[in-house]
Amino acid sequence: MDFRWGWGSDGRKVALASCEKVCAAREDGGLGIIDLRTFNLALLGKWVWWLGSDMGGLWKEIIVSKYGGWRSLREGGKDSKDSLWWKDLKEVWSLEG
């Protein structure tokens, strides 16, 4: 990757690079930085899987009592009472089909 750093009449110059190049693997000429959008979708997908699994626990009981569990993810729609996290889980659920 060819970054251009330096000083100009307005001060330090900014280096611009596309997200695809920055997030590419080092072997492919990128910086190997994790794509946060993809990483976030993966973590939210793990929450959806965890809510649908048979594994129990205190956190699952709290989430089920507050939001209704994974079945309420299927209902769709955006309730104004839902947290941003729950709205994101609903979005991931709709992506998975």
Side-chain angles (χ1 to χ4, degrees), residues 23-42:
C23 293
R26 289 184 179 187
E27 296 82 26
D28 298 331
L31 296 177
I33 296 175
I34 294 174
D35 182 6
L36 292 179
R37 183 177 188 87
T38 305
F39 190 68
N40 187 43
L41 285 174

Side-chain angles (χ1 to χ4, degrees), residues 40 44 66-67 78-91:
N40 187 43
L44 289 169
K66 181 170 176 133
Y67 298 109
K78 294 186 178 181
D79 189 2
S80 61
K81 297 177 185 175
D82 289 344
S83 67
L84 292 175
W85 175 77
W86 192 254
K87 290 176 185 177
D88 287 344
L89 280 181
K90 284 184 174 184
E91 185 178 330

Side-chain angles (χ1 to χ4, degrees), residues 4-13:
R4 304 208 189 281
W5 295 97
W7 291 87
S9 61
D10 297 332
R12 189 172 177 106
K13 295 180 182 177

